[in-house]
Amino acid sequence: MAPVQLDDVDDQLKNVIQDLFEIQSDVHGYLGPETQQQLMRKISQLSNSLSSLSSTSSTLPTQIPPEIIEYVEDGRNPDIYTREFVELAQKQNQYLKGKSEAFAGFRDVLAQEIVKAMPELKEEVEKRMEGREKMEEIKENGEAKEA
């Protein structure tokens, strides 16, 4: 089976809208038993259009998180969910950045204290600190600067 295109679903949605419009027009101009068969035919056509739309759209590759679907089903605005999600991500990023900076500060203090307590390890500590600086340059710039 060929993959379903959004244009196909769009066309089917237009058919459903057209069917609803025709039903509205027929209901507005309802004259009793004379127009009843026509109205029944259009309702049947709407049912077929909705069935076709449902089966076609279910094969579309959509990836909507279930939380958003629940949010909408509860009558809430999905934009609010998105905003809250972004705010939460920003808070977590700030928290992790602070934690990372705290560990970096601890590492530097620990290196200084190791050198004070055990001067014979000074060269080894400096090598480790130089390696750390090169890694930070790579993270920031995407490449190491040559000396």
Side-chain angles (χ1 to χ4, degrees):
M1 187 173 155
V4 176
Q5 299 294 323
L6 285 176
D7 292 339
D8 297 335
V9 174
D10 190 45
D11 290 341
Q12 289 179 350
L13 273 172
K14 289 177 184 176
N15 289 339
V16 168
I17 292 169
Q18 181 64 34
D19 292 342
L20 287 169
F21 177 75
E22 289 174 6
I23 290 172
Q24 178 189 5
S25 298
D26 286 355
V27 167
H28 183 69
Y30 188 71
L31 301 174
E34 310 100 45
T35 57
Q36 185 174 3
Q37 286 296 51
Q38 182 179 354
L39 184 58
M40 300 268 293
R41 222 177 18 258
K42 290 191 178 174
I43 290 174
S44 176
Q45 185 178 348
L46 173 64
S47 177
N48 290 337
S49 295
L50 287 170
S51 176
S52 174
L53 175 65
S54 177
S55 64
T56 304
S57 64
S58 65
T59 61
L60 281 176
T62 55
Q63 297 176 347
I64 301 173
E67 296 86 14
I68 292 180
I69 293 172
E70 289 174 21
Y71 219 78
V72 171
E73 285 177 349
D74 291 341
R76 299 180 72 190
N77 187 341
D79 291 337
I80 294 172
Y81 176 85
T82 304
R83 185 182 68 224
E84 289 173 352
F85 182 80
V86 168
E87 288 172 356
L88 179 62
Q90 287 173 338
K91 284 181 185 177
Q92 289 175 343
N93 285 344
Q94 288 173 347
Y95 172 75
L96 291 176
K97 182 179 182 224
K99 204 171 185 181
S100 177
E101 289 172 353
F103 276 114
F106 174 73
R107 178 199 56 226
D108 294 342
V109 169
L110 180 62
Q112 290 172 357
E113 293 301 318
I114 288 174
V115 169
K116 283 181 190 175
M118 297 176 264
E120 65 274 9
L121 295 177
K122 182 177 181 177
E123 288 180 30
E124 191 65 30
V125 170
E126 287 175 352
K127 284 182 192 176
R128 302 285 179 229
M129 295 302 281
E130 286 175 13
R132 177 196 54 82
E133 289 172 3
K134 287 181 183 176
M135 290 301 294
E136 286 178 1
E137 282 182 22
I138 291 171
K139 284 182 186 177
E140 290 175 7
N141 302 328
E143 58 185 56
K145 293 181 181 177
E146 295 187 24

